[in-house]
Amino acid sequence: MATIINNRSTLTTDPIRNFRFLVSFIPQDTTNTTLSKLKTATFGFTSVSGMAVTTDSIPYREGGYNTTVHQIPGQTTFAPITLQRGVILNTNQNWEWMRNLFATVQAGGSTRSITQNFRCDLEISVLSHPLPKGGSEEGAAAATDHVAMRFHVYNAWPTSVAYSDLNAGDNALFVEQMSLVHEGFDVNWAADLSTQAASF
């Protein structure tokens, strides 16, 4: 009969939870008055979805070796990321970011100069739960939370901003949803509960 050496779960063997996370926006151009309101601002969201990468294959047939079809890596594409949160007073950053893209059509002329960049990097921090020893206690700064995973998303910009329906018969929250396209992401994991997932 096999002997089970470790049959008890611990914080280090538990999978990472998916409900504690923060999203930081890092504008590439701090001179842009529209995006400079963000300046590496960190927000909480209800959900973040679309963290996926796919590499297309290119089938290749060769006369000298034609018993099988070669599969060669092609272009890599990253799925759009969708962020969702409840609308709070004076939180118009997402709308202003989106509006900056179509200002030429809306206002008859863009206020963005050729040197200003509408793209932004994102850092998504997945926090541990429950808090490991030495983590943030009640009343302590959120910066001491243990970061189990960290995604860094490159060159993101919004393709859509949508708001939930208004319905007097509902008992619900007014929700904003934003979809971002980007040019790739990287992921870092924490080695253990005493170290943070490294920043990029």
Side-chain angles (χ1 to χ4, degrees), residues 174-192:
F174 191 50
V175 174
E176 177 187 65
Q177 181 175 290
M178 178 173 62
S179 292
L180 304 173
V181 292
H182 58 97
E183 296 173 8
F185 64 84
D186 208 346
V187 189
N188 275 345
W189 283 262
D192 50 46

Side-chain angles (χ1 to χ4, degrees), residues 12 25 28 32 38 93 101 105 115 121 127-128 144 175 200:
T12 55
F25 293 81
Q28 296 180 1
N32 188 327
L38 292 173
Q93 296 91 346
L101 297 175
V105 177
T115 60
D121 285 358
L127 309 176
S128 291
T144 60
V175 174
F200 293 87

Side-chain angles (χ1 to χ4, degrees), residues 41-154:
T42 300
F43 295 97
F45 285 88
T46 306
S47 66
V48 176
S49 59
M51 302 296 293
V53 55
T54 303
T55 299
D56 295 331
S57 66
I58 302 172
Y60 173 67
R61 296 177 184 272
E62 182 181 334
Y65 185 74
N66 56 1
T67 56
T68 61
V69 177
H70 297 281
Q71 297 291 340
I72 301 172
Q75 291 185 330
T76 298
T77 56
F78 295 86
I81 295 174
T82 301
L83 306 162
Q84 186 170 297
R85 67 175 179 173
V87 176
I88 303 171
L89 290 174
N90 199 28
T91 56
N92 65 338
Q93 296 91 346
N94 293 344
W95 173 249
E96 288 297 325
W97 189 11
M98 183 70 185
R99 188 172 177 270
N100 185 257
L101 297 175
F102 71 92
T104 302
V105 177
Q106 179 73 13
S110 177
T111 58
R112 184 177 62 248
S113 74
I114 196 168
T115 60
Q116 292 175 328
N117 196 346
F118 55 85
R119 293 170 179 85
C120 187
D121 285 358
L122 270 66
E123 189 165 275
I124 303 169
S125 301
V126 183
L127 309 176
S128 291
H129 178 83
L131 299 175
K133 185 176 180 181
S136 175
E137 302 295 336
E138 187 174 340
T144 60
D145 275 333
H146 179 258
V147 180
M149 272 180 89
R150 203 183 302 265
F151 294 87
H152 193 96
V153 182
Y154 300 97

